Amino acid sequence: MEAEALIALAERVLAPTYRRPPVLFTHGEGMYVYDANGRRYLDFVAGIAVCALGHADPGVAQVVAEQARRLVHLSNLYHTEPHLHLAEALVAHSFADRVFFCNSGAEAAEAALKFARKFARLRFGPHKTGFVAFTHSFHGRTMGALSVTEKPAYREPFAPLVPGVTFVPFNDVEAARAAITEETCAVIVEPIQGEGGVNVATPAFLRALRARCDEVGALLIFDEVQCGLGRTGTLWAYEAYGVEPDLLTVAKPLANGLPIGAVLMREAVAAALQPGDHGSTFAGGPLVTAVALHVFRRLCDPTFLAHVREVGEYLMARLQALALPGVKEIRGRGLLVGIEIEGDARAVVAAALERGLLITTAGDTVVRLVPPLIVERAHIDEALGILEDAMRAALPARSSHA
Ligand SMILES: *Cc1c(COP(=O)(O)O)cnc(C)c1O
């Protein structure tokens, strides 16, 4: 079937939950993806901060092929090797003592919220059930994860959600202190918010959350699904703050595109759990965890992380120097960057696509750059050349206000 016919088919057979451009992508290599007409695109989306090692990575492909020939799935009814090695590696390189595997970021949020409830019930009794979350948060689309996600457009069509969630303005220390009470079982926060507009937590804010959680016996959950695993130039975003959580959710890049999520936790949290409390048929399977172990080892490499910091600083410095039209603010850390503009971010994304660059949005007015972490300076130069063009084309009337 021709690409155009296939794109037309999407209109008929897929549930209309996504808006996609009329391009059919067929393959990728490194920093680039290709469409059915053989056109090349520079990828600064990376499958939404997922393909940290880029596309069609030979090391990843080799692990997929080898493990697929050995063992793909047995379920959590049995011990298999790869998830044990992966859990051991995650624990060795983090604050955590134990790991729970799942299949996505939303599932990781679900599990973390459930574990917090179980912990609070055992330790303090059934009254301590409240959650505190923040404006512009994003934790996923399932009912529990959605309940701590603030964006009204995501929530309202699906109400009623899980009760007992209080939203507090992000980075507002005093409001957070007041909202976190003896009734709070957990606080969930992204150290650097992704979908909500690339908002960086202040050190004082995360320190205050940690202190207040300790005062009232609430657990602190960091959602590092987007900002974790090297994206900001340290393995975990929390490292840059010197504040450690009790639970940490990870997902997006962990297996470079195969679906996996995980909750990292302290021993005290794990001690509240027992067989049967939570589970998943697919989670932690041998194929996905063998790939994740390979990916995780590469992301942990100090040389790799130094590269992310180096190109991240280069990207930020180049962006600041460009004086792009209609830009209000440039935010982020490492290779998680948001450009707040006066105007419609989707128009910029569309103009960039036409010019061979994949970028995405983080809300209506923020253009988000989350390239594969293997990006080099030359790719950044190429991307910013196209971005500048695209912004001048998409925001012509606004350029005079820049
Ligand atoms: C993407 C994302 C999620 C949800 O992950 P899914 O795998 O899409 O369920 C949760 N939290 C953050 C911070 C994310 O960026």
Side-chain angles (χ1 to χ4, degrees):
M1 215 185 279
E2 290 292 317
E4 266 156 50
L6 281 167
I7 291 165
L9 183 62
E11 298 294 316
R12 294 206 306 279
V13 299
L14 293 182
T17 56
Y18 279 98
R19 196 183 283 113
R20 299 181 182 87
V23 181
L24 189 73
F25 291 99
T26 53
H27 61 288
E29 190 183 354
M31 287 294 302
Y32 294 92
V33 288
Y34 298 82
D35 72 12
N37 299 319
R39 183 158 183 222
R40 188 174 90 154
Y41 300 78
L42 178 58
D43 185 4
F44 267 54
V45 180
I48 318 185
V50 167
C51 305
L53 302 175
H55 299 285
D57 177 81
V60 170
Q62 189 184 340
V63 177
V64 171
E66 281 174 7
Q67 188 61 43
R69 282 193 218 100
R70 194 173 298 140
L71 187 68
V72 170
H73 175 80
L74 263 191
S75 87
N76 282 299
L77 298 178
Y78 307 103
H79 286 299
T80 55
E81 270 179 65
H83 78 153
L84 294 171
H85 292 308
L86 177 61
E88 185 181 37
L90 287 166
V91 164
H93 288 90
S94 73
F95 75 97
D97 302 302
R98 292 181 187 253
V99 181
F100 174 84
F101 288 114
C102 54
N103 308 286
S104 68
E107 279 187 31
E110 294 292 332
L113 297 174
K114 284 181 71 177
F115 296 166
R117 281 272 176 88
K118 183 85 194 294
F119 174 87
R121 168 177 293 262
L122 284 187
R123 178 119 359 151
F124 300 96
H127 64 282
K128 195 176 176 68
T129 57
F131 295 117
V132 171
F134 298 93
T135 53
H136 309 295
S137 62
F138 184 86
H139 301 293
R141 307 288 203 142
T142 55
M143 285 297 207
L146 191 56
S147 300
V148 289
T149 293
E150 191 241 1
K151 192 169 174 171
Y154 292 167
R155 302 167 57 83
E156 275 163 9
F158 308 103
L161 300 176
V162 176
V165 179
T166 307
F167 288 102
V168 172
F170 188 67
N171 273 339
D172 187 332
V173 168
E174 283 318 307
R177 267 191 219 286
I180 302 166
T181 68
E182 301 287 339
E183 310 297 306
T184 306
C185 95
V187 174
I188 183 165
V189 65
E190 299 153 81
I192 301 179
Q193 293 183 328
E195 310 294 315
V198 188
N199 307 305
V200 181
T202 62
F205 180 60
L206 293 192
R207 277 200 299 270
L209 295 183
R210 178 72 274 174
R212 185 66 184 141
C213 282
D214 291 343
E215 274 168 28
V216 301
L219 295 176
L220 181 58
I221 305 169
F222 283 171
D223 179 340
E224 293 213 12
V225 167
Q226 188 153 167
C227 63
L229 290 166
R231 171 122 328 250
T232 64
T234 49
L235 182 60
W236 310 112
Y238 72 73
E239 288 172 50
Y241 291 90
V243 178
E244 291 184 349
D246 302 299
L247 295 130
L248 179 84
T249 62
V250 303
K252 285 189 165 86
L254 184 51
N256 208 53
L258 298 194
I260 184 170
V263 181
L264 281 57
M265 70 197 87
R266 293 185 190 283
E267 186 63 42
V269 179
L273 304 176
Q274 63 186 39
D277 272 348
H278 196 44
S280 162
T281 300
F282 289 120
L287 176 64
V288 72
T289 50
V291 175
L293 180 63
H294 173 86
V295 173
F296 185 69
R297 282 180 175 151
R298 287 170 62 183
L299 297 182
C300 280
D301 181 345
T303 312
F304 187 86
L305 293 169
H307 165 80
V308 176
R309 287 194 294 277
E310 199 264 317
V311 290
E313 278 161 26
Y314 181 72
L315 171 60
M316 191 56 95
R318 283 289 324 269
L319 271 174
Q320 303 280 10
L322 265 185
L324 293 165
V327 172
K328 285 166 84 175
E329 193 183 15
I330 303 171
R331 302 189 288 262
R333 181 171 295 156
L335 292 171
L336 173 52
V337 173
I339 307 165
E340 171 124 39
I341 58 170
E342 286 173 49
D344 180 7
R346 286 214 319 258
V348 177
V349 168
L353 180 88
E354 278 172 21
R355 291 162 176 78
L357 172 68
L358 303 187
I359 53 177
T360 189
T361 60
D364 296 338
T365 58
V366 178
V367 172
R368 179 172 31 159
L369 307 180
V370 279
L373 305 183
I374 58 167
V375 66
E376 298 285 352
R377 282 173 179 237
H379 302 119
I380 290 172
D381 293 341
E382 183 185 347
L384 294 191
I386 300 173
L387 180 66
E388 189 171 5
D389 244 25
M391 287 185 63
R392 289 189 198 288
L395 308 166
R398 315 233 171 211
S399 55
S400 56
H401 306 300

